[in-house]
Amino acid sequence: MKTRHSLVTAAIAGLMSLPVYAQLFEVSTSREFQSALSAAASNSQNDTIVLSAGIYAPTTPGQPFVYNSTQGDDLRIEAETPGEVLLDGQSRAEILYLNHDSTNVPPGFSIKGIRFQNGRVTGTGHGGALTVLNTGLLLDRTAFAGNTTDRPNSGSAVLMNAGDGQGELRIINSQFVNNVVDVGSPSSNGSAIFLFGGSFAVTDSEFVGNRSDSCGVIYTDSTLDSSVTGSDFRSNRAARGAAICSSSGLLTISGSEFRNNEATGEGGAILGFDGRVLLENSTLANNRADSAGALMSSAVELRRSVVLGNTASRLSIVSADRDLHAENSLFELNQVPDSIDSGTVRCERACRIVNSVFERNTGAPSIKMVSGNADNLVVANSLLLAGNASALAFADANVRATVLNNYISPALLPLPESQIDQQGNILDQAYAGLDPGYHPLEGSILVDAGTSEAQLVALAETDVLGNPRIAGADVDIGWVEYGSSPTAPVVSGLALETLDASNLDSLSFSFNVELAEGRSLVSTELWTDEEPDYVLVSPQGGSLGGVVFMNGGAHQIRVRVTDSQGERSEAGYSFTLNSLGTETVVLRVEDQIRAACAEDLTDCGVDVDAFVAQAIEEARSACKSDPSSCQIETGSFDPGTISAMARGDWNLYGTGRDITDLATVFADARVVWFHNGGTWEAFSTQPDVISVLNAKGIPRISKIPAGRGFWVRK
């Protein structure tokens, strides 16, 4: 181990100078690292420890590397080459313990360019990889992967206790991947970070595949304000608030994305308790929860944000129990079953929705108002389009709202007029004059048709694209002012990759997408001439696979993409498929049934052999007696067939159209099973079944494609 000293001069009140010493430790082994930590803890100097490339594991079995200081000196731990230093807990111990045990002014701790993996917490109140006590911390270009804890209130990657509550956890350009809290109790919070007191500021970082039995990838127990900027939360799972659980204070989230996160309770992406969550220029997409599929907090504010493709079994997609404000935001393709108090957006006491867009939200009304009066419940300058289940509704007959200068599709009428004060709304025009990104076209009835009435409507200074909010005589209806410069994505090169293809083949299509600088792709949708509506799909590497057409001949597809600012574009492609003969269709049906029943379903109570034999015989008989019957049904699956089942029964069904609104279609089912590409997937709206499926790691059904079979238990 090499050590160096340097002398720095610090001016005190401009009158005198005192020497401040700094020591540099250069280490290359685990023992040298621990020796440097011990020396730094007691030398009364600001210290820097530089680790050369390599793997470092704690030197005492079952114990972490330890820095325990009673002095107020700064400590920096850095990789000589960022990304080439690994601190490995070997799944036996916490990795690093840093404690400032003093009443002195808290020092500054920082860690840069180091990867922590396979840490495992050894005691309550410690982090699986890193514990920091009584001070703040900077993590820069760090990574935490595969760290675990089975202790409550620990944090599988990082636990920070700020002591007096004023310390800040700053995270920059860092990754938290596949960290797990596995306690099985309500206190198993923070699958990546558990913060006592203090605040956090996350910038340009990733949180992917982390899992908690309770609350959040990030869990904070603090009243201070925190922030997330330019960061990505994907595929995280928890019982509540799968990405972030914030107790109080203001949580500001800007330029960030939350995708495919899942909570078995409330808050598919974010759960706030007593504070306010502000989401701006951000995206909540394809998150899931039992209630509040994307976001729940005491107070919620959304500015220039996209809420798309989220799912809840009940209540809402975005919910606030004190006040909610949404401006220049898009709510699209969200799903939540209808009930007396459910809605895509659900608000209590105070609600202002201004210049926002609602389209293709299914099940519950777009806006559900639970309590409040016409002074504090306002919907203005917004688009409520025909694809929604309904426009707005109230949970109580005494609730009243003000509805001003909106475009509301005639398909969503009538409105609950006895409970609204309205004026200036466009209610009788089926055509609003919009492009696919909900931008007003030339001559649109939306231009200058909004209101800027200051007493009820607080307009933003700009539209969603950053252009002036009022560009003409008055504000436009919708989230974009006419004439704003679009920066929509560009779709090109759409083509069929599958050679010599026929109907019933699994087809692949390739395409390219160009995005404006700083934007990402949020969703891809597919339309075919055999499916009347666009459906969400998941392309891989510019290729879209698994597309099946029931019939041969000429066909068309369209691909539509949406970016992180809600702008979208689409492209079309025409092609011709070979037509299969009757006997080939029979053989295809037989092969598909055998593949779907290849695994043992006896645990589900399904008689596999009987299902296979019966289905094949029926397919053969039908095709031989009437070749036209070999055509797969083109109609939608009727959920009423499940209602007619006896409780406890199992049935095998099929569908002629994609099933994407699972929560609505299977509301009366206890569990649904679907064989997808060699893997059994399941879906349920029942909390006890969801818990079992999650515990067993069974994938969740996202869609049942047309022409496929599935099993339902009532």
Side-chain angles (χ1 to χ4, degrees), residues 19 91 175-176 181 218 412 441 448 459 461 468 487 492 578-579 603 616-617 683 700:
S91 299
Q175 294 82 41
F176 294 77
V181 176
I218 299 176
L412 305 184
L441 300 170
D448 296 340
L459 292 181
E461 293 183 0
T487 49
S492 63
N578 300 323
S579 297
D603 290 342
I616 292 175
E617 184 57 35
F683 176 83
R700 185 179 186 273

Side-chain angles (χ1 to χ4, degrees), residues 504-570:
L504 299 186
D505 283 346
S506 179
L507 307 180
S508 294
F509 296 86
S510 60
F511 60 95
N512 302 310
V513 179
E514 297 179 26
L515 297 167
E517 184 177 357
R519 298 190 183 186
S520 60
L521 188 64
V522 171
S523 70
T524 304
E525 299 172 83
L526 174 69
W527 173 91
T528 75
D529 52 21
E530 291 189 346
E531 175 63 46
D533 300 314
Y534 277 93
V535 294
L536 287 169
V537 291
S538 300
Q540 299 293 326
S543 180
L544 178 63
V547 183
V548 177
F549 286 82
M550 301 300 105
N551 302 298
H555 288 285
Q556 291 184 337
I557 69 165
R558 296 194 69 81
V559 170
R560 181 162 69 187
V561 299
T562 303
D563 69 16
S564 53
Q565 285 298 310
E567 290 200 88
R568 61 169 48 129
S569 295
E570 58 184 64

Side-chain angles (χ1 to χ4, degrees), residues 642-675:
I642 300 176
S643 301
M645 292 172 58
R647 188 171 299 278
D649 279 357
W650 280 94
N651 278 347
L652 173 63
Y653 295 113
T655 178
R657 292 184 181 174
D658 290 354
I659 299 175
T660 57
D661 187 5
L662 298 166
T664 300
V665 173
F666 299 122
D668 291 332
R670 180 156 178 79
V671 67
V672 181
W673 289 89
F674 170 56
H675 194 266

Side-chain angles (χ1 to χ4, degrees), residues 444-475:
S444 170
I445 58 175
L446 308 176
V447 177
D448 296 340
T451 178
S452 53
E453 185 177 336
Q455 288 184 336
L456 292 174
V457 180
L459 292 181
E461 293 183 0
T462 66
D463 66 7
V464 70
L465 301 180
N467 295 296
R469 181 68 265 187
I470 299 179
D474 209 333
V475 61

Side-chain angles (χ1 to χ4, degrees), residues 113-197:
I114 295 175
R115 179 182 177 88
F116 293 74
Q117 76 176 30
N118 301 324
R120 185 170 185 84
V121 75
T122 57
T124 300
H126 291 229
L130 172 63
T131 300
V132 178
L133 302 180
N134 304 311
T135 189
L137 173 68
L138 167 65
L139 296 173
D140 184 3
R141 290 168 292 169
T142 58
F144 293 80
N147 301 287
T148 62
T149 177
D150 58 6
R151 302 299 178 95
N153 295 334
S154 297
S156 61
V158 178
L159 178 140
M160 190 180 99
N161 188 331
D164 63 4
Q166 300 303 310
E168 181 182 49
L169 174 60
R170 288 193 295 147
I171 301 173
I172 303 172
N173 293 316
S174 295
Q175 294 82 41
F176 294 77
V177 180
N178 296 332
N179 300 287
V180 177
V181 176
D182 189 11
V183 180
S185 76
S187 57
S188 52
N189 300 310
S191 57
I193 296 166
F194 192 107
L195 180 63
F196 282 107

Side-chain angles (χ1 to χ4, degrees), residues 167-238:
E168 181 182 49
L169 174 60
R170 288 193 295 147
I171 301 173
I172 303 172
N173 293 316
S174 295
Q175 294 82 41
F176 294 77
V177 180
N178 296 332
N179 300 287
V180 177
V181 176
D182 189 11
V183 180
S185 76
S187 57
S188 52
N189 300 310
S191 57
I193 296 166
F194 192 107
L195 180 63
F196 282 107
S199 61
F200 66 86
V202 177
T203 304
D204 297 333
S205 295
E206 285 187 314
F207 298 79
V208 182
N210 303 285
R211 181 168 60 84
S212 167
D213 287 339
S214 186
C215 206
V217 172
I218 299 176
Y219 177 88
T220 173
D221 181 12
S222 173
T223 60
L224 300 181
D225 296 346
S226 295
S227 65
V228 175
T229 304
S231 295
D232 192 4
F233 293 75
R234 302 191 313 273
S235 303
N236 301 290
R237 294 169 58 188

Side-chain angles (χ1 to χ4, degrees), residues 533-654:
D533 300 314
Y534 277 93
V535 294
L536 287 169
V537 291
S538 300
Q540 299 293 326
S543 180
L544 178 63
V547 183
V548 177
F549 286 82
M550 301 300 105
N551 302 298
H555 288 285
Q556 291 184 337
I557 69 165
R558 296 194 69 81
V559 170
R560 181 162 69 187
V561 299
T562 303
D563 69 16
S564 53
Q565 285 298 310
E567 290 200 88
R568 61 169 48 129
S569 295
E570 58 184 64
Y573 180 70
S574 299
F575 57 98
T576 301
L577 296 177
N578 300 323
S579 297
L580 296 177
T582 299
E583 185 61 27
T584 305
V585 171
V586 173
L587 294 174
R588 288 286 184 94
V589 171
E590 180 174 340
D591 289 343
Q592 288 176 2
I593 294 172
R594 289 192 181 280
C597 295
E599 297 187 24
D600 185 5
L601 289 182
T602 55
D603 290 342
C604 305
V606 176
D607 184 343
V608 177
D609 293 334
F611 267 129
V612 174
Q614 179 183 353
I616 292 175
E617 184 57 35
E618 289 178 355
R620 285 185 181 279
S621 299
C623 283
K624 288 180 178 178
S625 61
D626 179 9
S628 65
S629 68
C630 294
Q631 298 297 319
I632 296 175
E633 285 293 326
T634 58
S636 298
F637 173 71
D638 181 7
T641 58
I642 300 176
S643 301
M645 292 172 58
R647 188 171 299 278
D649 279 357
W650 280 94
N651 278 347
L652 173 63
Y653 295 113

Side-chain angles (χ1 to χ4, degrees), residues 92-107:
R92 295 183 299 185
E94 174 187 356
I95 299 173
L96 180 60
Y97 177 88
L98 305 175
N99 179 26
H100 168 241
D101 189 12
S102 172
T103 58
N104 294 330
V105 175

